Amino acid sequence: MDINLVVFIAATFLLAGFVKGVIGLGLPTIAIGILGVAMAPAQAAALLAVPNIVTNGWQIARGPGLAGIIRRLWPMLAGICIGIFAGAGLLEQQKNGGATLWLGLALIAYALIGLKAARLHVPTRFEPWLAPLVGLATGVATAATGVFVLPAVPYMQALGLDKDELVQALGLSFLVSTLALSVGLIGMGTLDWRIGAWSLLALAPALAGMAAGTALRGRISASAFKLCFFAGLLALGAYLVWRSLG
């Protein structure tokens, strides 16, 4: 890689890490969208492997109660893995950005609903059968786009978790998605030791950005966090649409 590309990648991960620190998500969405200017989506997803694993591990470790989150979310997490493996190769085949366009439009719609204070709620009795379906759909969407957001994020937000629980749940979901997607990328030959080395180097700016964003999140109220959360989703969705049409 030449120096200009290295600086471009570092700046991308710094920005993406900051957004993730503030609202608990956005690292792969922003990074794949921006890096798509210089490389294929599958290559960008491979470059994200180490930063995704480490930043989501950090996000999980800072949460209030991992055991309870795992017990509640494991059916969804299992569905994510199945969906990613079932959709293996879709990211490599993506050429026209169609999957990314629909993902962006769905994010915009969900963010607008949230900003208008329309509260989504999943009754506890629905979770045993709904969680695996949400996970399966999220896995297939991840396999096609490299982004881990829909429909898992709206589902987790509708569970009634508080700010810190939601951020921890997001980290757990994204970590499982990253590990499953990385296995698929290794199988396709897209993620090898050379890309792994560059992915390790991308970790430093991602962590720096996330540290700054996490510090900011600690200073804002629950209502301000909710506003930032949905505004962030709206911006991410608009960016994905712009990138797919550009």
Side-chain angles (χ1 to χ4, degrees):
M1 295 188 185
D2 63 57
I3 186 63
N4 291 330
L5 183 57
V6 171
V7 172
F8 175 69
I9 291 173
T12 297
F13 277 94
L14 184 66
L15 172 62
F18 176 77
V19 173
K20 181 174 179 61
V22 175
I23 65 173
L25 74 163
L27 181 63
T29 311
I30 292 174
I32 289 179
I34 297 177
L35 293 176
V37 174
M39 61 188 71
Q43 292 175 315
L47 197 59
L48 273 156
V50 174
N52 265 337
I53 290 170
V54 175
T55 56
N56 285 307
W58 179 10
Q59 190 166 314
I60 292 169
R62 292 176 62 89
L66 180 58
I69 295 293
I70 292 175
R71 284 194 299 269
R72 193 168 186 181
L73 295 184
W74 75 263
M76 185 193 76
L77 301 176
I80 287 174
C81 293
I82 294 171
I84 288 176
F85 295 142
L90 290 176
L91 186 61
E92 191 75 39
Q93 298 167 13
Q94 183 173 293
K95 302 297 182 184
N96 61 5
T100 302
L101 171 62
W102 287 109
L103 179 65
L105 291 173
L107 267 179
I108 290 172
Y110 172 58
L112 290 175
I113 291 172
L115 287 171
K116 289 184 70 66
R119 182 173 177 81
L120 301 178
H121 175 66
V122 174
T124 304
R125 65 182 184 278
F126 290 177
E127 291 184 39
W129 62 266
L130 184 58
L133 295 178
V134 169
L136 186 63
T138 301
V140 173
T142 297
T145 64
V147 177
F148 318 137
V149 178
L150 289 176
V153 170
Y155 172 77
M156 287 184 283
Q157 197 270 336
L159 294 179
L161 304 173
D162 67 27
K163 178 177 70 170
D164 292 328
E165 287 174 334
L166 177 60
V167 170
Q168 185 176 42
L170 290 170
L172 178 61
S173 173
F174 298 156
L175 177 61
V176 170
S177 299
T178 298
L179 293 173
L181 183 61
S182 296
V183 170
L185 292 172
I186 290 171
M188 292 187 299
T190 305
L191 177 54
D192 55 22
W193 70 268
R194 287 167 296 185
I195 296 296
W198 282 106
S199 182
L200 182 61
L201 292 176
L203 176 61
L207 286 177
M210 188 174 177
T214 301
L216 177 60
R217 188 179 78 235
R219 293 184 172 89
I220 61 179
S221 65
S223 59
F225 170 78
K226 182 180 178 180
L227 177 62
C228 290
F229 182 81
F230 286 113
L233 289 182
L234 179 62
L236 292 175
Y239 181 74
L240 287 176
V241 171
W242 177 77
R243 281 290 304 135
S244 65
L245 296 177

